[in-house]
Amino acid sequence: MTTPPTSDVDLFADEVVLDPYPVYAELREQGTVVHLLKNDVYALTRYAAIRDALMDWESFSSTSIAFNPMANEALTGTSLASDPPVHTQLRATLTENLSPRALRGLKGRIEAKADVLVAELVEKGSFEAIDALARAFPLEVVADLIGFTGHVRDNMLRWGQAAMQVIGPMNQRTAESFPIAGELYAWCSQVKASDLAEGSVGRGIFDAEARGAIPPDTAGHIIHQYLGAGVDTTVAAIGNVVALFAAHPDQLDLVRENPSLVPAAFNEVLRFWPPVNAWGRRATRDVEIDGTVIPAGAQIAVLLGAGNRDPRHYENPDAFLVERNPVDHLSFGYGPHGCAGQGLARLEAHAVIEALSRRAKRLVVGPEVRVPSNITRSIEELPVLEVIPA
Amino acid sequence: MRIVVDRPRCEGHGLCEEAAPRLMHLDDDGELVLDREEIDEADAALANAAVRVCPVAALRIA
Ligand code: HEM
Ligand code: SF4
């Protein structure tokens, strides 16, 4: 057994967060585990080790999912940052309203909304896809789901972005985002049932608290997690749908000719460009992986985006191919903490892909604009110049 | 061999059903129902695929 290889790569440098895949390829070739000296983290780079680590909560604790101590401190007590057995209880209340069972009633409404929005945009012919679709749609869906009205609705995007940004290391982006993430936290600490629309899922969470079905004072925390984990990620994923289909018209044709490929197409979008590329854990003991040892206490960076491109697991991993249907991609995590909102994310994205592939034959786009960000990798602006209707 | 569901963990994502519709389905309430208790050789690959695809690792082979 040896110590893992080391690297001078800075995972959170602007050029790396903008396009991490060349760096991931380099690290993956160096080893399954690479010690990144600049970030003082041990990166997991290959598919099999990542999936095993996500399953092994006893060796890899979620008490350090963020790359700075302040954010980990702030997340204490949430499902995201807890280990079993506490996590198991928290997760149950969190997923009760998000499981596909709970969401079945929303499916028709979400599909209808996506279709109206996509029809309008195709009709218009040119639009800025991030504001008009990737942001507009999930914001509306999540706002209606939780029952937000008024100024909260207006703040959802800012708050959601900041909540992800502060998961990064203590750099300038994180420092600037803490006060904004704090606004979200403060609002969630005082929100009352009457602030949320009647009949909404958010209102239902408060009813559950009043009935004693969930512990006192948890409703606000649950809503906090829905907003923190569910907005920025979904916005990124839908923006990526538009960009990848614009860049690969042959793949859009495949989906239009065979709409049963819609779920497969979303899996491939998530595999190819995960909204979250790197996520934290803490080693609770010395852990041996492929002959090298991660020391107890080490901060881990789980490189979901590197695992998704591992040629040991996916053939021709740098190609975007909807027919490969990579159901086991790592972009929602896996195991006990596997994304609690994936049912909702799928509902939203499937509705958008279905409407887009049915209504648009080609999307002609201008250059995409990206802004460096710590955790969520998303497109900031994507001008659609012309839509050739189907 | 047989498939075992960790009930508290299963959230009804239904990806297992897509992978192995012959072996399991979600009922009208979205609860997972195993249609075959005992899995024979011929269905072993399907069963393994269902276990593998569950995003929250709620299935295992025993
Ligand atoms: C495409 C969109 C999404 C992506 C890529 C995504 C990604 C992830 C990932 C990677 C994790 C695992 C974290 C870990 O292992 O520590 C996670 C957990 C979580 N996600 Fe998502 N997510 C998405 C959408 C959503 C939505 C829409 C919601 C809620 C409305 C949501 C709520 C959660 C929650 C509450 C957790 C924590 C679960 C736990 O700790 O048990 N996510 N997500
Ligand atoms: S995929 Fe997993 S969570 Fe979903 S229904 Fe099957 S066993 Fe349950």
Side-chain angles (χ1 to χ4, degrees):
Chain A
M1 286 197 291
T2 55
T3 52
T6 60
S7 164
D8 282 328
V9 159
D10 174 1
L11 267 192
F12 300 97
D14 288 2
E15 65 282 7
V16 177
V17 292
L18 287 172
D19 181 16
Y21 304 108
V23 166
Y24 289 169
E26 196 184 296
L27 296 174
R28 223 173 24 231
E29 285 321 299
Q30 258 192 288
T32 307
V33 182
V34 181
H35 185 189
L36 306 182
L37 301 170
K38 287 218 170 86
N39 308 117
D40 196 18
V41 305
Y42 288 73
L44 302 183
T45 69
R46 295 182 190 168
Y47 182 94
I50 291 173
R51 202 159 135 123
D52 289 350
L54 292 173
M55 197 59 209
D56 181 7
W57 54 269
E58 284 168 296
S59 307
F60 296 103
S61 164
S62 282
T63 49
S64 190
I65 55 131
F67 296 94
N68 74 81
M70 240 170 100
N72 284 320
E73 177 74 17
L75 287 164
T76 306
T78 65
S79 167
L80 203 52
S82 309
D83 296 321
V86 175
H87 170 261
T88 315
Q89 283 164 6
L90 293 171
R91 169 117 185 163
T93 52
L94 197 65
T95 54
E96 192 173 288
N97 298 289
L98 281 183
S99 72
R101 277 191 276 283
L103 294 171
R104 263 182 316 175
L106 290 174
K107 189 163 184 271
R109 251 168 44 217
I110 289 179
E111 285 169 354
K113 247 183 216 167
D115 197 46
V116 168
L117 183 56
V118 169
E120 259 172 39
L121 294 174
V122 168
E123 173 83 8
K124 254 171 103 178
S126 72
F127 52 91
E128 201 281 285
I130 303 306
D131 254 344
L133 181 61
R135 289 179 182 154
F137 183 60
L139 284 177
E140 197 183 319
V141 169
V142 175
D144 285 354
L145 177 86
I146 308 183
F148 290 136
T149 52
H151 94 284
V152 193
R153 246 184 131 103
D154 300 334
N155 277 310
M156 282 172 65
L157 186 67
R158 270 176 77 236
W159 287 356
Q161 284 173 336
M164 290 301 276
Q165 199 76 276
V166 298
I167 305 287
M170 198 34 109
N171 56 19
Q172 194 184 345
R173 288 190 281 270
T174 299
E176 285 171 3
S177 300
F178 258 117
I180 307 171
E183 287 174 35
L184 166 63
Y185 184 83
W187 184 83
C188 290
S189 309
Q190 55 76 54
V191 58
K192 297 180 299 298
S194 55
D195 296 325
L196 303 173
E198 241 171 276
S200 64
V201 164
R203 195 74 175 253
I205 297 172
F206 275 96
D207 292 344
E209 189 182 289
R211 276 201 315 277
I214 60 173
D217 295 326
T218 45
H221 289 295
I222 293 175
I223 289 168
H224 185 205
Q225 286 196 63
Y226 287 3
L227 267 178
V231 173
D232 209 27
T233 45
T234 317
V235 168
I238 294 178
N240 292 345
V241 162
V242 179
L244 286 168
F245 279 126
H248 302 276
D250 56 322
Q251 300 297 308
L252 183 59
D253 286 342
L254 288 174
V255 181
R256 184 178 38 264
E257 284 154 19
N258 179 5
S260 73
L261 281 175
V262 167
F266 187 44
N267 286 331
E268 180 67 347
V269 168
L270 287 175
R271 182 195 72 85
F272 195 76
W273 277 352
V276 174
N277 278 285
W279 200 250
R281 289 287 192 267
R282 165 119 26 234
T284 58
R285 55 179 186 86
D286 287 357
V287 189
E288 192 203 321
I289 296 181
D290 289 354
T292 62
V293 179
I294 302 175
Q299 173 71 43
I300 309 293
V302 185
L303 300 185
L304 306 172
N308 279 347
R309 301 281 190 111
D310 186 352
R312 293 162 194 78
H313 189 72
Y314 294 111
E315 206 176 304
N316 194 7
D318 295 322
F320 176 74
L321 303 168
V322 296
E323 286 171 313
R324 80 163 82 226
N325 191 16
V327 283
D328 58 355
H329 68 73
L330 299 166
S331 300
F332 284 132
Y334 176 64
H337 288 275
C339 180
Q342 56 185 287
L344 181 60
R346 278 197 199 95
L347 270 188
E348 294 181 43
H350 291 178
V352 169
I353 295 173
E354 198 279 325
L356 208 57
S357 61
R358 182 162 37 78
R359 292 183 177 277
K361 181 162 172 49
R362 267 205 80 175
L363 302 158
V364 182
V365 296
E368 65 196 30
V369 177
R370 288 180 182 272
V371 176
S373 118
N374 286 335
I375 298 293
T376 318
R377 178 172 181 268
S378 58
I379 302 170
E380 184 71 18
E381 278 173 39
L382 179 66
V384 174
L385 307 173
E386 192 191 347
V387 182
I388 301 169
Chain B
M1 70 196 261
R2 49 195 192 91
I3 299 180
V4 181
V5 191
D6 182 340
R7 286 287 162 190
R9 216 176 234 189
C10 171
E11 292 166 358
H13 292 287
L15 303 187
C16 55
E17 176 182 5
E18 277 170 40
R22 262 198 289 156
L23 306 183
M24 56 195 68
H25 72 276
L26 292 179
D27 69 11
D28 290 345
D29 296 325
E31 285 292 338
L32 182 64
V33 180
L34 295 180
D35 298 308
R36 303 251 185 104
E37 286 293 320
E38 282 300 319
I39 307 294
D40 52 30
E41 274 304 298
D43 285 334
L46 269 185
N48 281 318
V51 169
R52 176 150 185 89
V53 80
C54 174
V56 292
L59 298 178
R60 67 190 168 81
I61 301 275

